[in-house]
Amino acid sequence: MRISSAEYFSMNVATMSNQQAQLSQIYQEISSGSSLTTPADNPLGAAQAVQLSSTATALSQYTTNQSAALSSLQAEDSTLSSVLSTLQSVNTQAIRASDGSLNDADRTAIAAQLTSLRDQLLTYANSTDSAGNSLFSGFQNSAQAFTTNASGAVVYSGDTGTRMVQVTGSNQVATGDNGQAVFMSVGAANAEPIASGNSANTGTGVIGAVTVNDPTNVANADSYQIAFSGSGSTLAYTITDTTTGVAGTPQTYTAGSDITMAGQTVAITGTPAAGDNFTVQPAKQAGTDVFANLNAMISALQQPVTGNTAATANLQNALNTGMSQLSNTLSNVTAIQASVGGREQEVQALQTVTQTNSTQTQSDLSDLTSTDLVSTISKYTMQQAALQASQQAFVQIQNMSLFQYINN
């Protein structure tokens, strides 16, 4: 088989051009540090690289979301600690106000301290996070959560929404709690019933805290009224279930003895007058707004009672009611703070997992797309040697001609 000179030259030029192209591609891998310049270099590897890049982007966003969520939760946790401290101070002042040796001026001073603590609590309720978003206004994060109206009542201006953040592909975390749940509600569990006296009572009866002896009794969810009639040895009380409208039979009153309603008991001390009445209500029906409850105690303490036994009894009833409501609020805020702490731990655990996954994804992506310099440089050297050999062989074969021998 004969090979023409033109065909021979064409074959050698094509071979060397192909080797030059391969050498150029290897050099590009070395200079760019990437072994995947185009999908044609490695179609399967390119598809895997796209998937890994997408995963890395998602993990990066989850990392950002986790940091933002943790920051908000830490801000709420810190604020709730301050709220609890303030509520404990309120409780201390309320107990102090119950001291019978105090005079009207002393109680007025305590009312002023409670007013200051209420304002401090309002400041905490309007706290914001590092981004300036309201912690307790629900979805209305740019609005102030609580305002005070013309009558001095504190009004919630937010909503009942709970902001959620996607922290992994399958996990969302609540980054806050709305003000309605924190400052104007009581917990679904462990909220004690509230006993209170009618402010129009004229006797010296004082009702204490309610004791729940049988939590399973469904009638504990009803409201009750204890109404007094008679006087002296005929002084009696009648219990009416105001939820169902069923009234019991009159019972002789003995100061300090337990009065039973469903699965709960309460004691009344002193001597109520005929027409006096007291109520026992489930916590959620007896006033759950901590600011309104504080205002009621402040108002009661501002009323002079010295020398008036009925007024003194009404004041003590108001303080007892306020302290029971405050106890429920403390339990509620404590439970919410515990929930916030649990969410903080969850986010921190997810941060560790996400960081590990992100590191592994970046490593896999690097292994797939980064140039192995040792191997690639070795390949480059071999390809360069092959090209040089082809060039030298072409030169030698090019010199093989019969005219050289004729001339000689």
Side-chain angles (χ1 to χ4, degrees):
M1 178 179 177
R2 291 183 178 183
I3 300 176
S4 66
S5 296
E7 187 175 358
Y8 167 74
F9 276 97
S10 177
M11 289 173 57
N12 278 277
V13 169
T15 299
M16 287 186 289
S17 294
N18 184 51
Q19 290 175 321
Q20 184 68 48
Q22 292 180 19
L23 191 65
S24 176
Q25 182 179 354
I26 296 171
Y27 178 77
Q28 186 176 8
E29 289 182 18
I30 295 173
S31 61
S32 66
S34 175
S35 62
L36 274 177
T37 306
T38 65
D41 297 337
N42 182 355
L44 179 59
Q48 292 175 332
V50 169
Q51 185 176 4
L52 287 171
S53 294
S54 177
T55 300
T57 300
L59 289 173
S60 177
Q61 185 59 57
Y62 291 143
T63 297
T64 300
N65 290 358
Q66 289 164 3
S67 296
L70 185 59
S71 177
S72 293
L73 288 170
Q74 288 173 335
E76 182 181 4
D77 195 354
S78 176
T79 301
L80 290 177
S81 292
S82 298
V83 168
L84 287 172
S85 178
T86 301
L87 292 175
Q88 291 288 2
S89 296
V90 169
N91 190 57
T92 299
Q93 292 300 321
I95 293 173
R96 177 168 170 258
S98 299
D99 185 347
S101 65
L102 299 182
N103 56 36
D104 290 339
D106 295 329
R107 286 185 284 271
T108 299
I110 293 174
Q113 292 182 47
L114 289 180
T115 300
S116 177
L117 290 170
R118 180 204 59 196
D119 294 342
Q120 184 176 321
L121 189 65
L122 181 60
T123 299
Y124 293 137
N126 284 322
S127 295
T128 59
D129 60 19
S130 58
N133 297 318
S134 176
L135 290 178
F136 302 111
S137 60
F139 293 138
Q140 311 298 320
N141 58 348
S142 61
Q144 183 170 292
F146 292 89
T147 57
T148 304
N149 62 21
S151 64
V154 176
V155 179
Y156 181 52
S157 303
D159 56 36
T160 57
T162 300
R163 294 194 293 271
M164 307 290 291
V165 171
Q166 194 80 31
V167 289
T168 68
S170 58
N171 290 78
Q172 285 188 326
V173 170
T175 60
D177 296 272
N178 64 72
Q180 183 75 34
V182 177
F183 299 98
M184 296 185 160
S185 302
V186 294
N190 301 322
E192 297 299 326
I194 303 298
S196 59
N198 190 325
S199 60
N201 287 352
T202 58
T204 60
V206 175
I207 193 166
V210 179
T211 300
V212 178
N213 301 305
D214 181 10
T216 64
N217 193 319
V218 294
N220 290 346
D222 293 350
S223 295
Y224 297 90
Q225 182 187 70
I226 306 169
F228 283 82
S229 60
S231 61
S233 60
T234 64
L235 183 61
Y237 64 87
T238 301
I239 301 173
T240 301
D241 184 331
T242 55
T243 300
T244 62
V246 176
T249 57
Q251 302 179 58
T252 301
Y253 170 72
T254 302
S257 295
D258 285 341
I259 297 174
T260 301
M261 298 146 294
Q264 54 199 0
T265 58
V266 69
I268 296 176
T269 58
T271 305
D276 287 357
N277 63 81
F278 301 83
T279 59
V280 173
Q281 297 175 289
K284 292 183 179 181
Q285 298 176 23
T288 58
D289 180 345
V290 65
F291 298 106
N293 296 340
L294 280 172
N295 284 340
M297 282 197 288
I298 291 169
S299 178
L301 286 168
Q302 290 172 334
Q303 303 301 316
V305 299
T306 301
N308 186 329
T309 55
T312 299
N314 286 335
L315 170 61
Q316 190 59 55
N317 281 323
L319 291 175
N320 288 350
T321 299
M323 285 189 286
S324 294
Q325 292 169 324
L326 183 62
S327 176
N328 284 336
T329 299
L330 279 164
S331 296
N332 181 54
V333 176
T334 299
I336 290 175
Q337 187 180 36
S339 172
V340 171
R343 281 175 270 161
E344 285 182 83
Q345 291 180 346
E346 180 184 358
V347 172
Q348 289 169 336
L350 290 173
Q351 280 182 316
T352 301
V353 173
T354 302
Q355 181 60 46
T356 300
N357 291 341
S358 181
T359 301
Q360 185 61 53
T361 300
Q362 292 294 345
S363 176
D364 292 344
L365 185 60
S366 177
D367 290 343
L368 189 62
T369 61
S370 297
T371 300
D372 183 344
L373 289 178
V374 174
S375 174
T376 307
I377 290 174
S378 176
K379 187 189 299 183
Y380 179 83
T381 302
M382 291 176 61
Q383 190 66 38
Q384 188 177 46
L387 177 60
Q388 290 172 349
S390 295
Q391 291 171 337
Q392 291 172 0
F394 179 70
V395 170
Q396 293 297 322
I397 294 174
Q398 185 182 20
N399 290 332
M400 294 176 64
S401 174
L402 290 174
F403 292 103
Q404 292 179 333
Y405 295 99
I406 294 172
N407 291 335
N408 289 334

